[in-house]
């Protein structure tokens, strides 16, 4: 009986130490590949040709207060994309480019020691630009909008993890990258 009690106390102490280690506040940094659709919508335009889904870079960092709550900031550069269309019988060529920076609260639900799911909610500052080569018009739009994401994380070890997520950068835009973004990446906690 005494051995059973000692074993139970040792087990509880070991689990408490492991739990304390997991819930300690930690910072992290990461990088990823974000893919967004570069569709173009203009009233009266026909024969619209864009580059469609295009991969770009993303960097992010955050702070986990415990295993459930945290905060994250990130920057995504949506790169340049070509666009060609016809309007009123004239062919128009150009390119779009854009980027976004966000700050969000993050809630994580661990499924087991290696796998967890999470959601993020915050604000993003989005910028989209359209430069038309053979027309006098160019446009640029910057706007702060709602940001949200859902994702999954797979821990390779205590410090390194792989992430995959669906992100939403505000409302859909008429030109440049669309609001829906698919991202895969890796993060390092310290």
């Amino acid at each position: 009986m005494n051995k059973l009690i000692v074993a139970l106390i040792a087990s509880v102490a070991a689990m408490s130490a492991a739990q304390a280690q997991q819930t300690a506040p930690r910072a992290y940094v990461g990088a990823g590949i974000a893919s967004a659709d570069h569709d173009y919508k203009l009233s009266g335009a026909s024969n619209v040709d864009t580059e469609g889904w295009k991969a770009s870079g993303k960097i992010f960092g955050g702070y986990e207060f415990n295993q459930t709550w945290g905060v994250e900031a990130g920057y995504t550069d949506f790169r340049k994309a070509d666009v060609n269309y016809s309007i009123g019988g004239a062919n128009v060529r150009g390119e779009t480019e854009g980027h976004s920076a966000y700050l969000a609260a993050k809630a994580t639900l661990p499924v087991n020691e290696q796998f967890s799911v999470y959601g993020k909610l915050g604000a993003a500052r989005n910028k989209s630009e359209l430069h038309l080569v053979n027309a006098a018009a160019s446009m640029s739009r910057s706007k702060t909008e709602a940001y949200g994401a859902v994702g999954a994380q797979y821990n390779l070890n205590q410090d390194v993890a792989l992430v995959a997520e669906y992100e939403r950068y505000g409302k859909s835009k008429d030109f440049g990258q669309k609001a829906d973004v698919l991202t895969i990446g890796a993060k390092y906690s310290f």
Side-chain angles (χ1 to χ4, degrees):
M1 182 71 164
N2 288 339
K3 290 181 183 180
L4 179 60
I5 292 173
V6 170
L8 285 173
I9 291 171
S11 297
V12 168
M15 288 188 317
S16 296
Q19 182 72 13
Q21 188 177 23
Q22 287 181 340
T23 61
R26 294 181 69 165
Y28 62 89
V29 294
I33 298 171
S35 183
D37 189 4
H38 287 261
D39 195 13
Y40 181 67
K41 294 179 183 174
L42 177 65
S43 180
S46 61
N47 299 325
V48 177
D49 181 26
T50 62
E51 292 191 52
W53 288 86
K54 191 170 186 176
S56 56
K58 175 184 175 179
I59 57 172
F60 59 94
Y63 189 78
E64 296 170 334
F65 301 107
N66 55 41
Q67 69 179 4
T68 305
W69 301 106
V71 65
E72 184 176 293
Y75 175 82
T76 305
D77 181 3
F78 290 109
R79 296 181 43 199
K80 293 181 180 181
D82 293 330
V83 60
N84 299 299
Y85 63 92
S86 298
I87 189 163
N91 292 328
V92 180
R93 283 187 322 113
E95 66 182 15
T96 63
E97 63 180 307
H99 59 268
S100 183
Y102 69 88
L103 178 64
K106 183 176 179 182
T108 303
L109 175 64
V111 176
N112 57 37
E113 283 187 27
Q114 289 186 303
F115 186 74
S116 60
V117 293
Y118 59 86
K120 297 185 285 187
L121 187 60
R125 182 69 177 170
N126 303 315
K127 183 167 186 173
S128 298
E129 295 181 11
L130 173 65
H131 306 285
L132 299 175
V133 176
N134 53 348
S138 288
M139 295 182 269
S140 179
R141 292 199 178 122
S142 295
K143 189 173 184 182
T144 301
E145 299 178 277
Y147 168 85
V150 293
Q153 175 176 309
Y154 180 77
N155 299 326
L156 297 174
N157 59 41
Q158 187 176 1
D159 297 327
V160 180
L162 301 176
V163 295
E165 61 188 3
Y166 162 78
E167 299 175 278
R168 178 79 181 184
Y169 290 86
K171 296 180 180 179
S172 288
K173 291 116 183 102
D174 292 333
F175 60 89
Q177 75 281 355
K178 296 303 169 204
D180 300 313
V181 178
L182 301 174
T183 304
I184 57 170
K187 76 176 205 178
Y188 176 75
S189 300
F190 48 93

